[in-house]
Amino acid sequence: MQTVSENKSFGGIQGVYSHASDACGCDMTFGLFLPEQAAEGPVPVLWYLSGLTCTHENAMVKAGAQAWAAEAGIALVFPDTSPRGEGVADDEAYDLGKGAGFYVNATEKPWAPHFRMWDYVTEELPNIITANFAIAEDRQAITGHSMGGHGALTMAMRLPGRFRSVSAFAPIAHPSQSDWGRKQLAAYLGADESLWAPHDSTLLMKRLGFDGPVLIDQGSKDQFLELLKPEALAQAMMERRQNGTFRMQPGYDHSYFFVSSFMHDHIAFHAEALYGN
């Protein structure tokens, strides 16, 4: 692992690190904020998964999360959204290929050799983080925006016991029934739609639910509402009697202005779960 940069931030350290990834078969970069409490011992961690076209840097710079994480004594991990580099397959469209990994393990050509973001985020990167930094492995939570909200919800529900809480900002909530999902899942996983179901948070909510609290924020003026399909997830949460809150925020769009406006709420929500018994 190599240190790309480290900057003092709200009493803690905002670092950027790179490493050779076995899962993705290329070099990967991630951001990690450690609050000052990490100097005394392991701290809880909140994973933040970003959306389409993003890298590790977008949320790290735009979400305004470090101030609230420092106050709560929580570390923040900002993974990249896809493999990168020469030899990694890509597409001319913004919503497929680099920057659009969709947090799945691709099985189809030309994506399969590198696009293994599920294994990277759920296995390889957590092992690197806990081996090299003062992170409490038994106190983890996860959140994300858009495609990252999709990833956060699917990981939380499919890995019971891993995360104490899950939240999402404008998640792609029903990708198997949306153009933000059908295109990518078909490309990465093939035409058999039964293989898509484990990566659809609405279907997972109906089948599995989450063994902890859930918080979803969605802007009412989000320009991508028809692609996100939040009503499907909200209905699934109601039908399951899921312990959770779904909030439609009047006037907000899909941007980081929306994310940063409610970041404090989300970190406070996760802090309560992370520091609870």
Side-chain angles (χ1 to χ4, degrees):
M1 189 180 70
Q2 296 183 333
T3 300
V4 177
S5 63
E6 289 184 332
N7 298 95
K8 192 80 170 179
S9 178
F10 296 99
I13 297 293
Q14 176 61 66
V16 177
Y17 309 93
S18 66
H19 67 100
S21 168
D22 291 333
C24 296
C26 62
D27 288 344
M28 296 293 286
T29 302
F30 66 92
L32 173 67
F33 172 75
L34 282 176
E36 59 183 346
Q37 294 90 332
E40 305 298 324
V43 295
V45 61
L46 174 61
W47 292 78
Y48 183 101
L49 306 186
S50 289
L52 288 166
T53 74
C54 293
T55 69
H56 69 280
E57 190 175 33
N58 294 72
M60 190 179 81
V61 173
K62 296 179 180 180
Q66 291 88 344
W68 309 119
E71 186 177 284
I74 293 172
L76 301 168
V77 182
F78 304 100
D80 203 345
T81 55
S82 77
R84 309 274 177 178
E86 293 185 16
V88 175
D90 200 9
D91 191 271
E92 292 182 357
Y94 75 95
D95 58 355
L96 189 67
K98 293 179 183 178
F102 257 75
Y103 303 102
V104 304
N105 287 339
T107 57
E108 302 298 301
K109 295 179 180 180
W111 315 106
H114 299 286
F115 280 73
R116 303 190 61 81
M117 290 301 293
W118 180 274
D119 283 354
Y120 177 69
V121 174
T122 65
E123 297 179 14
E124 184 176 29
L125 188 54
N127 289 337
I128 290 171
I129 295 290
T130 55
N132 290 279
F133 302 97
I135 298 298
E137 192 171 358
D138 62 339
R139 293 180 181 266
Q140 300 190 55
I142 192 165
T143 188
H145 172 229
S146 194
M147 180 184 72
H150 140 79
L153 289 164
T154 56
M155 289 176 187
M157 286 186 275
R158 286 179 55 192
L159 299 170
R162 170 78 66 91
F163 303 106
R164 295 195 174 194
S165 51
V166 60
S167 72
F169 301 86
I172 299 175
H174 202 9
S176 68
Q177 300 301 316
S178 168
D179 288 344
W180 268 2
R182 294 188 63 83
K183 171 185 177 180
Q184 294 83 358
L185 295 175
Y188 295 144
L189 303 178
D192 183 353
E193 295 190 20
S194 68
L195 301 176
W196 305 356
H199 298 284
D200 187 308
S201 59
T202 293
L203 299 180
L204 288 172
M205 181 60 68
K206 291 178 179 180
R207 183 166 65 90
L208 299 174
F210 177 62
D211 56 352
V214 177
L215 173 62
I216 309 292
D217 271 317
Q218 172 63 62
S220 70
K221 291 193 176 181
D222 192 314
Q223 58 271 48
F224 304 114
L225 270 176
E226 293 303 314
L227 294 167
L228 301 172
K229 300 194 178 298
E231 67 283 352
L233 179 59
Q235 182 65 33
M237 290 174 65
M238 281 186 69
E239 291 175 357
R240 189 170 186 86
R241 311 292 197 271
Q242 172 68 45
N243 173 16
T245 302
F246 189 107
R247 308 191 302 189
M248 185 63 75
Q249 301 292 0
Y252 285 89
D253 59 18
H254 198 71
S255 70
Y256 267 94
F257 295 109
F258 159 63
V259 173
S260 61
S261 295
F262 299 101
M263 182 56 70
H264 174 258
D265 289 1
H266 283 245
I267 290 182
F269 163 79
H270 290 295
E272 183 176 355
L274 289 167
Y275 280 105
N277 293 327

